[in-house]
Amino acid sequence: MQKEIRQFSTINALMAGLFDGVFAVGDVKKYGDFGLGCSHALAGEVIIDQDFLEADGDKAVKVMGDKELLPFVQVTTFQPDKVVDVVDICKDNLYTHLSNYLPMDNVFVAVRINARFDELKIRRPHAQQKPYPSVVKVFEQQVVDTVEAVSGSLIGFWTPDFFKELSVAGFHLHFIDTTRKLGGHVIDFRAAKAELAFERKQSIEIALPQSEEYLRKNLNMDDLNQVIKQVEN
Ligand SMILES: [Zn+2]
């Protein structure tokens, strides 16, 4: 099984407003069954946990069909290097927890945290209409839920800082509850105990969109870095 992360498009392309889905779920699936992304027109957050699940600001979580298109997604296989029981885990100390087991500043890490979360803050966007508003406007209107005592999994990646124009630097985690009714992009979380599983990923392959829109888009990062910070962290 492959150890690499396969990424479709880049975070700066997404932040620059390329919200149209261009990669079919059926094609992305070939590269693994673990990961995250977002759906066409930023309609929802995508959680890849065997199935491709879409958490939409307007609708319930649903399983995506192979023909549905994604603008940005990261997928891999997940065979954890280690699974450990941890106590008092939260977004702020996750780096400390993980760095007990591996030096991670210069590599990617696939991360899964299973727990009954004491508190979880997640967000889901609403589908956007063309002409698309800026990504900052989109996320100002997102649905933010703070839930307590919910069981489920956080699924995602740690990305080294020097990759910040391509992927989301730091931890990027999406949530899906055990009943698959609630999901979204994780803003904050806290659990008294949890099962933490991780797999170091030494390589990443990035497929760029082939669309005319992508080819002609100005992806100058001067202000996009600021936008990524604002939107993703
Ligand atoms: Zn996200």
Side-chain angles (χ1 to χ4, degrees):
M1 285 300 242
Q2 58 184 27
K3 293 280 285 178
E4 76 176 27
I5 298 167
R6 172 82 176 191
Q7 179 175 313
F8 295 82
S9 193
T10 64
I11 199 69
N12 67 338
L14 190 70
M15 295 299 140
L18 295 170
F19 303 159
D20 274 352
V22 286
F23 302 104
V25 167
D27 293 329
V28 177
K29 249 178 203 176
K30 293 172 192 154
Y31 296 90
D33 58 3
F34 177 100
L36 52 73
C38 58
S39 57
H40 175 73
L42 291 191
E45 302 284 347
V46 174
I47 307 104
I48 309 169
D49 183 16
Q50 315 276 328
D51 294 315
F52 281 57
L53 305 162
E54 181 188 24
D56 184 312
D58 300 310
K59 292 178 233 114
V61 174
K62 72 166 182 77
V63 177
M64 302 187 81
D66 282 356
K67 293 206 172 111
E68 289 189 66
L69 298 172
L70 308 168
F72 175 85
V73 57
Q74 287 179 299
V75 68
T76 189
T77 55
F78 188 59
Q79 278 102 30
D81 299 325
K82 222 175 171 81
V83 182
V84 288
D85 291 320
V86 293
V87 294
D88 293 325
I89 192 165
C90 63
K91 196 183 176 199
D92 289 342
N93 70 19
L94 179 54
Y95 177 87
T96 312
H97 272 286
L98 259 179
S99 32
N100 285 330
Y101 304 99
L102 82 163
M104 52 196 279
D105 287 352
N106 303 336
V107 290
F108 292 86
V109 186
V111 182
R112 181 182 189 113
I113 301 166
N114 298 325
R116 181 177 175 275
F117 293 93
D118 300 306
E119 201 175 298
L120 181 73
K121 195 172 173 189
I122 55 171
R123 69 144 197 254
R124 297 164 292 151
H126 294 288
Q128 302 299 312
Q129 310 293 334
K130 283 191 166 174
Y132 291 136
S134 76
V135 75
V136 172
K137 283 239 159 56
V138 172
F139 287 100
E140 276 168 7
Q141 301 155 9
Q142 68 199 346
V143 180
V144 176
D145 298 300
T146 302
V147 288
E148 289 175 6
V150 58
S151 294
S153 302
L154 309 186
I155 286 174
F157 299 96
W158 160 266
T159 295
D161 191 59
F162 55 80
F163 255 82
K164 63 174 173 267
E165 298 187 357
L166 301 174
S167 307
V168 177
F171 289 104
H172 184 193
L173 299 167
H174 285 188
F175 172 75
I176 186 70
D177 85 306
T178 45
T179 65
R180 291 189 163 182
K181 288 202 173 91
L182 180 71
H185 171 101
V186 176
I187 299 168
D188 213 353
F189 71 91
R190 189 166 52 77
K193 48 186 187 168
E195 183 189 83
L196 169 64
F198 56 89
E199 183 184 2
R200 195 172 77 188
K201 296 286 187 182
Q202 293 281 142
S203 87
I204 186 164
E205 186 174 8
I206 301 178
L208 300 174
Q210 294 181 34
S211 63
E212 192 65 23
E213 193 188 8
Y214 175 79
L215 295 174
R216 297 192 180 282
K217 193 76 182 177
N218 177 4
L219 297 177
N220 185 311
M221 284 304 297
D222 287 350
D223 26 275
L224 287 179
N225 272 327
Q226 198 46 44
V227 172
I228 295 171
K229 261 216 181 94
Q230 206 174 330
V231 169
E232 297 293 340
N233 305 122

